[in-house]
Amino acid sequence: MADRHTAGITSMVANKKLLVLPGDGIGPEVMGEVRRVIDWMDRRRAVTFEVSEGLVGGAAYDAGGTALSDETMADAAASDAVLLGAVGGPKWADVPRVHRPEAGLLRLRKEMDLFANLRPALVFDALVDASTLKPEVVRGLDILILRELTGGVYFGQPRGVETLPDGSERGVDTQVYTTGEVERILRVGFDLAKKRRNKVTSVEKSNVMETGAMWRKIATRVAAEEFPDVEFDHMLADNCAMQLIRDPHQFDVIVTDNLFGDMLSDEAAMMTGSLGMLPSASLSAMDATSGRRHALYEPVHGSAPDIAGQNKANPLATLLSFGMMLRYSFDMAEDADLVEAAVQDVLGSGLRTADIAASGDEVVSTTRMGEALVEALDRRAA
Ligand code: IPM
Ligand code: MG
C-alpha cells in the first residue's frame, strides 16, 4: 500500500478527486475531524482520495474579495465530489449581497446545476431523548426531504429593492418554475422512494400560488404516467409543517420547492435532536455521455458563529455527508455503511457533543469525537 503513490502505480488506482471547502465558523473544525476519517479510509480501504482544499464564503471573501473565486468554482466543477463545511457569520453582515458568504454556496449550486438536494432526517436510537418531541413520536424516524435547489424564489428574476418617489422602498423576489424543473425533481423523488418505503408526498401552496398549482398538476401527471406503483399524495406546505410534528412517520419522501424545502428540512432536522446530526447531498443530472454527475455534500447546519473556534461543534453531520458521498458519488455502499456504523458506535458508547447531550451526559469536544470515530473504525475493521 505504501508505494501506491509512486509513479506508475498511481495511474492504476481509481483516484477520487475530492474538493474540500471548510468555509466559515465551525466549518474548519468539523472538517478537520472528517479529514481524519478520509485519511483513515485512504490508508485502510481500497480507495485513494486525491484531496485538495479551497476557500468559500467569508473566508474566501477575506482572502480575495469574493465568496467563491473563479478558480475554486472551476476546481469544484472538475472534481468528482465537493465536501463543504458551512458558510456565513456576523462578520460579513454588511458585505454587499453579491459577495455575501451565502453567495458562494449559491453559485456552486447553480453553476453545477445541483438541482436535487437530499436531506434525510434520521433519528438514531441513542438520541431519541435529544429530540424536543416525545420519544414515541420520533423513535425510528427515517424520512427524506428532497428539496429543489436551483430554481424558485432563490434565483427568480426580477428581484431587488427600488426606492419609490415618496422615498419608501419596494422589494421584489420572484418565484419561478418551469415544467422541466418540476418534472426532474419529482422523478428523482419517485426513484428514491422506490428504494425506500415507496411513498412520495409532493408539497406546495397550490391554494395560493400560481407556481404551486402548476407544480401540483405536473406532480399528478408524473405520478400517474411514470410511477403508478409508487404511493403518492399532495400536501400544502403549511399543513406539511404541522403534520411533520404531529405524525412524522406518515412520510417517506417529501418533494418540495427550494424555499419550502429550506424550511421543512430545518424542521425535520430538529426533530432528530440536533441540526448537528443531519447530512445532505446535492446532485446534478447524470451526463449521458460521460456518466458523471456533479455533487456537493454538506451538513444541514450552518456555521454556528456563537461556538466557532471553541472545539465544541458536532462533526457528525459533516461526517455523515462524507458517508453520503461514498454512497451516491462513489458507489461505495460498504464503506458508507462503515462510516454510519462508526457513528452509531460512538453514540452508543455515550459520547455526546454539547448539542446532543442530555443532562447528566458526559460532553466531549469536537476533536475527541473525531478520535473516537477513528477508534470505532479501527475496531470495526480489525
Ligand atoms: C441551507 C441554508 C442556505 C439556504 C443558506 C446558507 C443560503 O439555509 O442550505 O439550507 O438557504 O439554502
Ligand atoms: Mg436552510
Side-chain angles (χ1 to χ4, degrees), residues 99-172:
H99 294 311
R100 288 280 294 272
E102 291 79 6
L105 179 57
L106 295 178
R107 181 175 178 199
L108 284 165
R109 290 174 180 173
K110 191 68 179 176
E111 290 196 22
M112 291 195 285
D113 201 16
L114 306 172
F115 72 93
N117 180 218
L118 286 62
R119 298 190 163 189
L122 197 107
V123 173
F124 289 89
D125 280 342
L127 293 183
V128 166
D129 292 320
S131 176
T132 51
L133 298 186
K134 294 191 179 109
E136 61 268 30
V137 176
V138 294
R139 185 172 287 115
L141 186 69
D142 175 7
I143 62 177
L144 178 68
I145 301 212
L146 180 66
R147 169 185 176 193
E148 199 293 325
L149 201 61
T150 50
V153 75
Y154 272 62
F155 297 99
Q157 293 293 340
R159 59 183 290 156
V161 179
E162 61 177 347
T163 305
L164 299 175
D166 71 356
S168 65
E169 290 179 319
R170 180 171 175 274
V172 178

Side-chain angles (χ1 to χ4, degrees), residues 109 119 147 154 261-263 265-266 300:
R109 290 174 180 173
R119 298 190 163 189
R147 169 185 176 193
Y154 272 62
D262 182 44
M263 294 187 278
S265 63
D266 263 25
V300 171

